[in-house]
Amino acid sequence: MIKPTIKQLEYFSAVAETLHFRKAAEQLHVSQPTLSDQIKELEYRLGVILLDRTRHGVELTPVGREILKRTTYLLRDLNDLCDHAKTAKSMLGGTLRLGVAPTVGPYLLPYVLPDLHRAYPDLKIYIREDRSSSLEQALRTGQHDLILTALPLEDEGLRTEVLYSEPLMVGLPKNHRLASADSVAPQDLKGEAVLSLGVGHRLNEQVQELCQRIWC
């Protein structure tokens, strides 16, 4: 069976409401032949007669009355869906699955979430903390809707927005030769043992890249 279109159901609903093809056509701002053809096509697709055409007007058949009930429910639900989409477009709602890196989430989210909840009370946020590489994989597979992590990402096809940037800091023992320096250039660390976060964290990759650049 070829399924009827929403427009055909809207045409049928208008005719069933007015019980008059001309009045329904005027209400829908279409020509009467167009309306009549669409009703015939609807009946053909459903395989039933919905309307009895007489010299005195139009009457619903028994099956037409049953189809009208379901058509009314369907069009009402469709309107509700469109209204919900229009509302969702102007205000965040539903559920947002957010992945955050441990070097970002604990320091940024406490300043963001309270205002976000006040502005969008219907928005539910599920937060999961993980390493940057795992977060990116989860984003690609649809487990997260959004992630907060350091750049760059491995997958260049993902859309990114820069929120902020910060300098890379180095921690040194008090008696280290560079401890009294106002700033430390990358080349100053040549030959030093450098500790960083474990594999899978973006900081680990950044530190490795820095070390390879200044030592090679």
Side-chain angles (χ1 to χ4, degrees):
M1 175 191 294
I2 303 176
K3 295 181 180 180
T5 66
I6 295 297
K7 186 174 294 294
Q8 289 170 347
L9 294 175
E10 289 175 335
Y11 285 3
F12 167 61
S13 178
V15 174
E17 178 184 343
T18 60
L19 293 178
H20 201 287
F21 273 89
R22 181 179 58 78
K23 292 180 180 179
E26 292 175 352
Q27 178 179 310
L28 295 166
H29 304 289
V30 298
S31 67
Q32 188 170 331
T34 296
L35 176 61
S36 181
D37 288 344
Q38 287 299 309
I39 295 297
K40 289 179 181 178
E41 178 66 19
L42 174 62
E43 291 177 323
Y44 170 75
R45 293 188 178 192
L46 294 177
V48 295
I49 300 299
L50 302 174
L51 301 168
D52 280 333
R53 289 84 164 169
T54 69
R55 288 183 301 173
H56 304 290
V58 180
E59 294 182 359
L60 287 165
T61 64
V63 69
R65 287 193 290 271
E66 292 299 320
I67 295 296
L68 177 61
K69 292 179 183 178
R70 288 164 171 76
T71 297
T72 302
Y73 294 145
L74 189 152
L75 294 178
R76 182 199 61 193
D77 291 343
L78 178 62
N79 289 332
D80 288 344
L81 185 150
C82 293
D83 290 341
H84 177 75
K86 188 181 299 183
T87 301
K89 185 178 180 180
S90 60
M91 173 175 279
L92 286 176
T95 301
L96 180 68
R97 298 166 298 178
L98 173 64
V100 297
T103 53
V104 176
Y107 310 100
L108 178 64
L109 294 184
Y111 298 98
V112 175
L113 291 181
D115 290 339
L116 195 60
H117 283 307
R118 280 191 292 269
Y120 305 103
D122 295 330
L123 177 64
K124 297 180 180 179
I125 304 179
Y126 292 143
I127 301 173
R128 180 171 181 177
E129 188 177 283
D130 208 339
R131 296 173 301 174
S132 296
S133 58
S134 299
L135 290 176
E136 185 174 345
Q137 175 63 24
L139 181 62
R140 285 196 297 265
T141 58
Q143 298 177 52
H144 294 318
D145 301 309
L146 175 73
I147 63 173
L148 294 176
T149 186
L151 296 176
L153 299 182
E154 295 178 5
D155 188 345
E156 296 181 354
L158 296 174
R159 178 179 175 180
T160 61
E161 294 288 344
V162 177
L163 298 180
Y164 62 91
S165 60
E166 56 185 358
L168 185 62
M169 309 295 290
V170 59
L172 300 166
K174 289 183 178 181
N175 59 353
H176 193 278
R177 62 182 178 85
L178 299 173
S180 60
D182 294 331
S183 62
V184 177
Q187 58 269 22
D188 294 335
L189 297 175
K190 187 172 183 179
E192 297 285 347
V194 178
L195 299 179
S196 180
L197 296 177
V199 175
H201 292 280
R202 193 69 71 222
L203 180 61
N204 176 278
E205 299 170 5
Q206 293 171 337
V207 170
Q208 284 197 37
E209 180 183 352
L210 177 64
C211 292
Q212 289 173 359
R213 189 166 69 246
I214 64 178
W215 292 345
C216 295

